[in-house]
Amino acid sequence: MESTIAEVELRQYAPHILAEVTVDGDRRSALNTGFRVLAGYIFGGNTAQASVAMTAPVAQSQPIDMTAPVAQAGQDGLRTVSFMMPRDWTLDTLPKPNSAAIRFVETTPERRAVLTFSGRSTDAALRAAEAKLRDTLAQNGVATVGQAACYYNDDPMTLPWRRRNEVALTLAR
């Protein structure tokens, strides 16, 4: 974390690799479908048949680690769901997915404004968090680019008041 503005964290993200899939549907169904496809990959649905134990929250373990959060971006229709791959993997060393729907993307360094909130990540809760994030940034003269992304840090069995959800916006350069 670089700094904070009210409840908003300004974060610097180093380049990293995302395993992502784009699916059609509303936010909830796209998240569920995308999560299942990507979880299949880390649970052995790859050329190396490498399997990974997943915990709540998602923990790192070998041979293929996944880190929290799970991210989702897009609007109703096509949505992209992604898992961040750990730093010790490269595009050359990650096993090839069995699913042609999965692609790997190398990100560039970026700065994001992130608002964390607890509870269920309902459409209404996400809209309210995004509005609060945008209002806080606008009141402080901070410009953003692109759409908001939603980060889910906990599994569905986590009690709502213990869940950590985030809404993030990329800061303009």
Side-chain angles (χ1 to χ4, degrees), residues 107-163:
T107 68
T108 57
E110 64 183 356
R111 294 177 63 229
R112 289 191 161 219
V114 180
L115 179 66
T116 302
F117 65 99
S118 62
R120 294 196 188 282
S121 57
T122 63
D123 290 338
L126 291 167
R127 279 192 304 272
E130 181 180 350
K132 184 175 182 178
L133 174 60
R134 287 186 185 280
D135 288 348
T136 300
L137 296 175
Q139 290 172 10
N140 288 278
V142 179
T144 63
V145 296
Q147 296 177 331
C150 305
Y151 299 149
Y152 310 96
N153 292 282
D154 300 297
D155 73 276
M157 300 308 292
T158 300
L159 296 171
W161 59 88
R162 298 190 76 119
R163 290 185 186 177

Side-chain angles (χ1 to χ4, degrees), residues 21-26 30 72-81 147:
V21 62
T22 300
V23 293
D24 191 15
D26 63 30
Q72 181 182 28
Q75 298 176 346
D76 287 347
L78 294 179
R79 298 180 145 281
T80 300
V81 180
Q147 296 177 331

Side-chain angles (χ1 to χ4, degrees), residues 18-87:
L18 297 174
E20 61 181 35
V21 62
T22 300
V23 293
D24 191 15
D26 63 30
R27 182 188 62 81
R28 178 67 56 198
S29 67
L31 179 62
N32 289 337
T33 300
F35 186 89
R36 280 194 307 272
V37 170
L38 293 168
Y41 170 74
I42 66 165
F43 290 142
N46 55 68
T47 55
Q49 296 181 328
S51 183
V52 177
M54 228 169 127
T55 61
V58 175
Q60 294 184 2
S61 62
Q62 289 296 347
I64 300 177
D65 299 330
M66 185 183 81
T67 57
V70 174
Q72 181 182 28
Q75 298 176 346
D76 287 347
L78 294 179
R79 298 180 145 281
T80 300
V81 180
S82 59
F83 287 0
M84 185 185 302
M85 298 290 103
R87 285 186 216 135

Side-chain angles (χ1 to χ4, degrees), residues 17 41 47 88-96 104 106:
I17 297 171
Y41 170 74
T47 55
D88 53 337
W89 290 97
T90 68
L91 290 176
D92 293 330
T93 60
L94 282 166
K96 183 179 177 190
F104 295 111
E106 255 184 315

